[in-house]
Amino acid sequence: SNIINEHKEFLDKKKFPFEIIFFERAFIALINFIINTAVLITYAFLKFNISNVLILLTPILLVFFFYFALSLLMLISLLNLLVSDTKEFIRIFLIIGLFITPTIYLPDMKIMYLDILININPFSYFIYAFRDLLFYNQVNLEIWSFIITMTLFFVLVSYYLFYKFKSRINNFL
């Protein structure tokens, strides 16, 4: 969330594409995610004997997840310029988010208000899609279309806001 402050010297350079710093941070996090996903795929293959072609969709889902995370990174970095305690809010939301993801609860568990909270969490849809691919050998087109739409929306909004405020970022620093 503090990327812009940490690399403000690059903002003054007109020819340096500052967006590369966001890509670099998101890609570093993606490496761990890819390793963990490879472990999950191996586990799913050994445990459930999955040899389905649908598992080839996992890299496509990873690309959508990468761009979704990248756009959130850009939005949070811009928000951090306006609100100085963004890091504390992020920590609180991550703790809450941990408990409102479908990783802790089984799909058959029907807890009245928890279902609503889980469906509000945008990361839940990525978890549903990965779970369907790796463990159930299926693709839910409704979830995939929501992921694609949500990712495109967040990417467009984050890039628009970043380019709109890019020239004024130095005023906030």
Side-chain angles (χ1 to χ4, degrees):
S1 67
N2 206 16
I3 294 174
I4 295 175
N5 286 332
E6 291 173 3
H7 300 287
K8 57 186 169 189
E9 68 274 2
F10 292 115
L11 281 171
D12 296 333
K13 299 179 181 179
K14 299 287 184 214
K15 295 187 181 196
F16 182 79
F18 193 77
E19 301 79 12
I20 289 177
I21 293 172
F22 292 113
F23 272 97
E24 178 252 345
R25 287 286 175 96
F27 191 74
I28 288 172
L30 184 68
I31 291 171
N32 288 331
F33 192 75
I34 289 172
I35 292 169
N36 291 332
T37 304
V39 169
L40 255 179
I41 290 172
T42 306
Y43 173 76
F45 181 74
L46 295 174
K47 175 81 175 166
F48 301 110
N49 206 8
I50 294 177
S51 58
N52 196 341
V53 173
L54 290 178
I55 207 137
L56 297 176
L57 292 175
T58 305
I60 296 170
L61 190 57
L62 277 171
V63 168
F64 282 109
F65 183 73
F66 174 77
Y67 279 103
F68 179 74
L70 177 67
S71 63
L72 284 182
L73 179 66
M74 291 175 77
L75 289 173
I76 291 169
S77 296
L78 287 172
L79 181 65
N80 191 40
L81 292 175
L82 301 173
V83 181
S84 60
D85 292 333
T86 306
K87 191 179 280 188
E88 298 304 319
F89 290 118
I90 299 285
R91 187 176 312 158
I92 291 168
F93 281 118
L94 284 176
I95 291 170
I96 293 170
L98 175 68
F99 292 103
I100 59 169
T101 57
T103 55
I104 295 177
Y105 308 100
L106 296 173
D108 344 352
M109 295 174 71
K110 297 292 180 199
I111 304 170
M112 185 193 282
Y113 296 109
L114 188 62
D115 285 345
I116 296 168
L117 289 174
I118 287 174
N119 289 329
I120 290 173
N121 185 353
F123 290 105
S124 295
Y125 296 96
F126 286 100
I127 294 169
Y128 291 145
F130 277 113
R131 183 187 64 204
D132 288 347
L133 278 178
L134 298 177
F135 298 113
Y136 299 125
N137 289 330
Q138 64 186 13
V139 173
N140 185 331
L141 292 178
E142 186 178 308
I143 290 175
W144 276 73
S145 61
F146 182 77
I147 286 173
I148 293 168
T149 306
M150 177 179 60
T151 301
L152 288 175
F153 173 77
F154 274 94
V155 166
L156 291 174
V157 167
S158 64
Y159 275 86
Y160 172 76
L161 289 174
F162 181 75
Y163 284 112
K164 183 175 180 168
F165 292 108
K166 187 175 181 180
S167 61
R168 294 187 253 165
I169 287 176
N170 282 333
N171 298 341
F172 292 108
L173 295 176

